[in-house]
CSV table of all heavy atoms in Angstrom, one decimal:
chain,number,residue,atom,x,y,z
A,1,LEU,N,184.0,109.5,87.4
A,1,LEU,CA,185.3,109.0,86.8
A,1,LEU,C,185.3,109.5,85.4
A,1,LEU,O,186.4,109.8,85.1
A,1,LEU,CB,185.1,107.4,86.9
A,1,LEU,CG,186.4,106.7,86.4
A,1,LEU,CD1,187.7,107.2,87.2
A,1,LEU,CD2,186.2,105.2,86.5
A,2,GLY,N,184.3,109.5,84.6
A,2,GLY,CA,184.5,109.8,83.2
A,2,GLY,C,184.9,111.4,83.1
A,2,GLY,O,185.6,111.6,82.3
A,3,ARG,N,184.3,112.2,84.0
A,3,ARG,CA,184.7,113.6,84.0
A,3,ARG,C,186.1,113.6,84.3
A,3,ARG,O,186.9,114.5,83.8
A,3,ARG,CB,183.8,114.3,84.9
A,3,ARG,CG,182.3,114.6,84.3
A,3,ARG,CD,181.6,115.5,85.3
A,3,ARG,NE,181.3,115.0,86.6
A,3,ARG,CZ,180.2,114.3,86.8
A,3,ARG,NH1,179.4,114.1,85.9
A,3,ARG,NH2,180.0,113.9,88.0
A,4,GLY,N,186.6,112.9,85.3
A,4,GLY,CA,188.1,112.9,85.9
A,4,GLY,C,189.0,112.4,84.6
A,4,GLY,O,190.0,113.0,84.4
A,5,VAL,N,188.4,111.4,83.7
A,5,VAL,CA,189.2,111.0,82.7
A,5,VAL,C,189.5,112.0,81.6
A,5,VAL,O,190.5,112.3,81.1
A,5,VAL,CB,188.7,109.7,82.1
A,5,VAL,CG1,189.3,109.3,80.7
A,5,VAL,CG2,188.9,108.5,83.1
A,6,VAL,N,188.4,112.7,81.4
A,6,VAL,CA,188.5,113.7,80.4
A,6,VAL,C,189.4,114.8,80.7
A,6,VAL,O,190.3,115.3,80.1
A,6,VAL,CB,187.1,114.4,80.1
A,6,VAL,CG1,187.3,115.7,79.3
A,6,VAL,CG2,186.2,113.5,79.4
A,7,THR,N,189.4,115.2,82.1
A,7,THR,CA,190.3,116.1,82.6
A,7,THR,C,191.8,115.7,82.4
A,7,THR,O,192.7,116.5,82.1
A,7,THR,CB,190.0,116.6,84.1
A,7,THR,OG1,188.6,117.1,84.1
A,7,THR,CG2,190.9,117.7,84.7
A,8,ALA,N,192.0,114.3,82.9
A,8,ALA,CA,193.5,113.9,82.9
A,8,ALA,C,193.9,113.8,81.5
A,8,ALA,O,195.0,114.0,81.2
A,8,ALA,CB,193.3,112.4,83.5
A,9,LEU,N,193.1,113.5,80.5
A,9,LEU,CA,193.4,113.3,79.2
A,9,LEU,C,193.9,114.7,78.6
A,9,LEU,O,194.8,114.9,77.9
A,9,LEU,CB,192.4,112.9,78.3
A,9,LEU,CG,192.1,111.3,78.4
A,9,LEU,CD1,190.8,111.0,77.7
A,9,LEU,CD2,193.2,110.5,77.8
A,10,LYS,N,193.1,115.8,79.1
A,10,LYS,CA,193.6,117.2,78.5
A,10,LYS,C,194.8,117.6,79.2
A,10,LYS,O,195.6,118.3,78.6
A,10,LYS,CB,192.5,118.1,79.1
A,10,LYS,CG,191.2,117.9,78.3
A,10,LYS,CD,190.1,119.0,78.8
A,10,LYS,CE,188.8,118.9,78.0
A,10,LYS,NZ,187.7,119.9,78.6
A,11,ALA,N,195.3,117.0,80.3
A,11,ALA,CA,196.6,117.3,81.0
A,11,ALA,C,197.7,116.5,80.2
A,11,ALA,O,198.9,116.9,80.4
A,11,ALA,CB,196.5,117.1,82.4
A,12,ALA,N,197.5,115.4,79.5
A,12,ALA,CA,198.4,114.6,79.1
A,12,ALA,C,199.0,115.3,77.7
A,12,ALA,O,198.3,115.7,77.0
A,12,ALA,CB,197.9,113.3,78.6
A,13,PRO,N,200.3,115.3,77.5
A,13,PRO,CA,200.9,116.0,76.4
A,13,PRO,C,200.7,115.1,75.1
A,13,PRO,O,200.9,115.8,74.0
A,13,PRO,CB,202.4,116.0,76.7
A,13,PRO,CG,202.8,114.9,77.6
A,13,PRO,CD,201.5,114.7,78.4
A,14,ASP,N,200.4,113.9,75.2
A,14,ASP,CA,200.4,113.0,73.9
A,14,ASP,C,199.0,112.4,73.8
A,14,ASP,O,198.8,111.5,73.0
A,14,ASP,CB,201.3,112.0,74.0
A,14,ASP,CG,201.3,111.1,75.3
A,14,ASP,OD1,200.6,111.5,76.2
A,14,ASP,OD2,201.9,110.0,75.4
A,15,MET,N,197.9,112.9,74.5
A,15,MET,CA,196.6,112.2,74.4
A,15,MET,C,195.6,113.3,74.4
A,15,MET,O,195.7,114.3,75.0
A,15,MET,CB,196.4,111.2,75.6
A,15,MET,CG,197.5,110.4,75.8
A,15,MET,SD,197.4,109.2,77.3
A,15,MET,CE,196.3,108.0,76.6
A,16,GLU,N,194.4,112.9,73.8
A,16,GLU,CA,193.3,114.0,73.8
A,16,GLU,C,192.0,113.1,73.8
A,16,GLU,O,191.8,112.1,73.3
A,16,GLU,CB,193.4,114.8,72.6
A,16,GLU,CG,193.3,113.9,71.3
A,16,GLU,CD,193.4,114.8,70.0
A,16,GLU,OE1,193.5,116.2,70.2
A,16,GLU,OE2,193.4,114.4,68.9
A,17,PRO,N,191.1,113.7,74.6
A,17,PRO,CA,189.7,113.2,74.6
A,17,PRO,C,189.0,113.5,73.3
A,17,PRO,O,188.8,114.6,73.0
A,17,PRO,CB,189.0,113.8,75.9
A,17,PRO,CG,189.7,115.2,76.0
A,17,PRO,CD,191.1,114.9,75.5
A,18,THR,N,188.6,112.5,72.6
A,18,THR,CA,188.0,112.7,71.2
A,18,THR,C,186.5,112.5,71.2
A,18,THR,O,185.9,113.4,70.6
A,18,THR,CB,188.6,111.7,70.2
A,18,THR,OG1,190.0,111.8,70.4
A,18,THR,CG2,188.3,112.1,68.8
A,19,PHE,N,186.0,111.6,72.0
A,19,PHE,CA,184.5,111.3,72.0
A,19,PHE,C,184.1,110.9,73.4
A,19,PHE,O,184.9,110.3,74.1
A,19,PHE,CB,184.0,110.3,71.1
A,19,PHE,CG,184.5,110.7,69.6
A,19,PHE,CD1,185.5,109.8,69.0
A,19,PHE,CD2,183.8,111.5,68.9
A,19,PHE,CE1,185.8,110.2,67.7
A,19,PHE,CE2,184.1,111.9,67.6
A,19,PHE,CZ,185.2,111.1,67.0
A,20,ILE,N,182.9,111.3,73.9
A,20,ILE,CA,182.3,110.8,75.1
A,20,ILE,C,181.0,110.1,74.7
A,20,ILE,O,180.4,110.4,73.8
A,20,ILE,CB,181.9,112.1,75.9
A,20,ILE,CG1,183.1,112.7,76.5
A,20,ILE,CG2,181.1,111.4,77.2
A,20,ILE,CD1,182.8,114.1,77.2
A,21,PHE,N,180.9,108.8,75.3
A,21,PHE,CA,179.7,108.0,75.0
A,21,PHE,C,179.0,107.9,76.4
A,21,PHE,O,179.5,107.5,77.4
A,21,PHE,CB,180.2,106.7,74.5
A,21,PHE,CG,181.0,106.7,73.3
A,21,PHE,CD1,182.4,106.8,73.2
A,21,PHE,CD2,180.4,106.9,72.0
A,21,PHE,CE1,183.1,106.9,72.1
A,21,PHE,CE2,181.0,107.1,70.8
A,21,PHE,CZ,182.5,107.1,70.8
A,22,THR,N,177.8,108.1,76.2
A,22,THR,CA,176.9,108.1,77.6
A,22,THR,C,175.5,107.4,77.2
A,22,THR,O,174.9,107.5,76.1
A,22,THR,CB,176.6,109.5,78.0
A,22,THR,OG1,175.8,109.5,79.2
A,22,THR,CG2,175.9,110.4,76.9
A,23,ARG,N,175.0,106.7,78.3
A,23,ARG,CA,173.6,106.3,78.4
A,23,ARG,C,172.5,107.3,78.6
A,23,ARG,O,171.3,107.1,78.3
A,23,ARG,CB,173.5,105.1,79.3
A,23,ARG,CG,174.2,103.9,78.9
A,23,ARG,CD,174.1,102.8,79.9
A,23,ARG,NE,174.8,103.2,81.2
A,23,ARG,CZ,175.1,102.3,82.2
A,23,ARG,NH1,174.9,101.0,81.9
A,23,ARG,NH2,175.7,102.8,83.2
A,24,ARG,N,172.9,108.4,79.1
A,24,ARG,CA,172.0,109.5,79.2
A,24,ARG,C,171.8,110.3,77.9
A,24,ARG,O,172.6,110.1,76.9
A,24,ARG,CB,172.8,110.6,80.2
A,24,ARG,CG,172.6,110.0,81.6
A,24,ARG,CD,173.3,111.1,82.6
A,24,ARG,NE,174.6,111.0,82.6
A,24,ARG,CZ,175.5,111.9,83.1
A,24,ARG,NH1,174.9,113.0,83.7
A,24,ARG,NH2,176.7,111.8,83.2
A,25,ASP,N,170.9,111.3,77.9
A,25,ASP,CA,170.7,112.0,76.7
A,25,ASP,C,172.0,113.0,76.4
A,25,ASP,O,172.3,113.8,77.3
A,25,ASP,CB,169.4,113.1,77.0
A,25,ASP,CG,169.1,113.9,75.7
A,25,ASP,OD1,169.8,113.8,74.7
A,25,ASP,OD2,168.3,114.7,75.9
A,26,PRO,N,172.6,112.7,75.3
A,26,PRO,CA,173.8,113.6,75.1
A,26,PRO,C,173.6,115.0,75.2
A,26,PRO,O,174.6,115.8,75.6
A,26,PRO,CB,174.1,113.2,73.7
A,26,PRO,CG,173.7,111.8,73.4
A,26,PRO,CD,172.4,111.8,74.2
A,27,ALA,N,172.4,115.6,74.9
A,27,ALA,CA,172.1,116.9,75.0
A,27,ALA,C,172.1,117.5,76.3
A,27,ALA,O,172.2,118.6,76.7
A,27,ALA,CB,170.7,117.3,74.4
A,28,SER,N,172.1,116.5,77.4
A,28,SER,CA,172.0,116.9,78.8
A,28,SER,C,173.5,117.0,79.3
A,28,SER,O,173.7,117.4,80.4
A,28,SER,CB,171.3,115.9,79.6
A,28,SER,OG,172.0,114.6,79.8
A,29,ILE,N,174.5,116.7,78.5
A,29,ILE,CA,175.9,116.7,79.0
A,29,ILE,C,176.5,118.0,78.5
A,29,ILE,O,176.7,118.3,77.4
A,29,ILE,CB,176.7,115.5,78.4
A,29,ILE,CG1,176.0,114.2,78.7
A,29,ILE,CG2,178.1,115.4,78.8
A,29,ILE,CD1,176.0,113.8,80.2
A,30,GLU,N,177.1,118.6,79.6
A,30,GLU,CA,178.0,119.8,79.4
A,30,GLU,C,179.4,119.5,79.2
A,30,GLU,O,180.0,119.1,80.2
A,30,GLU,CB,177.6,120.9,80.4
A,30,GLU,CG,176.3,121.5,80.4
A,30,GLU,CD,176.1,122.6,81.4
A,30,GLU,OE1,177.2,123.1,81.9
A,30,GLU,OE2,175.0,123.0,81.7
A,31,ALA,N,179.9,119.5,78.1
A,31,ALA,CA,181.3,119.1,77.8
A,31,ALA,C,181.8,119.8,76.5
A,31,ALA,O,180.9,120.1,75.6
A,31,ALA,CB,181.4,117.6,77.7
A,32,ASP,N,183.2,120.0,76.4
A,32,ASP,CA,183.6,120.6,75.1
A,32,ASP,C,184.4,119.6,74.3
A,32,ASP,O,185.2,119.9,73.6
A,32,ASP,CB,184.6,121.6,75.6
A,32,ASP,CG,185.8,121.2,76.5
A,32,ASP,OD1,185.8,119.9,76.9
A,32,ASP,OD2,186.7,121.9,76.9
A,33,VAL,N,183.8,118.3,74.5
A,33,VAL,CA,184.2,117.2,73.7
A,33,VAL,C,182.9,116.5,73.1
A,33,VAL,O,181.8,116.5,73.8
A,33,VAL,CB,184.9,116.1,74.5
A,33,VAL,CG1,185.1,114.8,73.7
A,33,VAL,CG2,186.0,116.6,75.3
A,34,PRO,N,182.9,116.2,71.8
A,34,PRO,CA,181.6,115.6,71.2
A,34,PRO,C,181.1,114.5,72.0
A,34,PRO,O,181.8,113.6,72.6
A,34,PRO,CB,182.2,115.1,69.9
A,34,PRO,CG,183.3,116.0,69.6
A,34,PRO,CD,184.0,116.3,70.8
A,35,VAL,N,179.7,114.5,72.3
A,35,VAL,CA,179.1,113.6,73.1
A,35,VAL,C,178.0,112.7,72.2
A,35,VAL,O,177.3,113.3,71.4
A,35,VAL,CB,178.3,114.1,74.2
A,35,VAL,CG1,177.6,113.0,75.2
A,35,VAL,CG2,179.3,115.0,75.0
């Protein structure tokens, strides 16, 4: 769901994914948004 939300935010003309928060090791997350 979180990955889907980031994708949907990128498609929105007035919204942007700014930060991702995770219980996993942030270094293990491949994303072009700060984790």
Side-chain angles (χ1 to χ4, degrees):
L1 183 58
R3 288 190 291 271
V5 166
V6 169
T7 300
L9 287 168
K10 290 178 179 178
D14 56 348
M15 310 176 83
E16 59 183 358
T18 307
F19 303 105
I20 295 168
F21 301 95
T22 179
R23 290 178 294 197
R24 288 179 280 169
D25 178 4
S28 69
I29 303 295
E30 293 185 10
D32 56 1
V33 177
V35 183

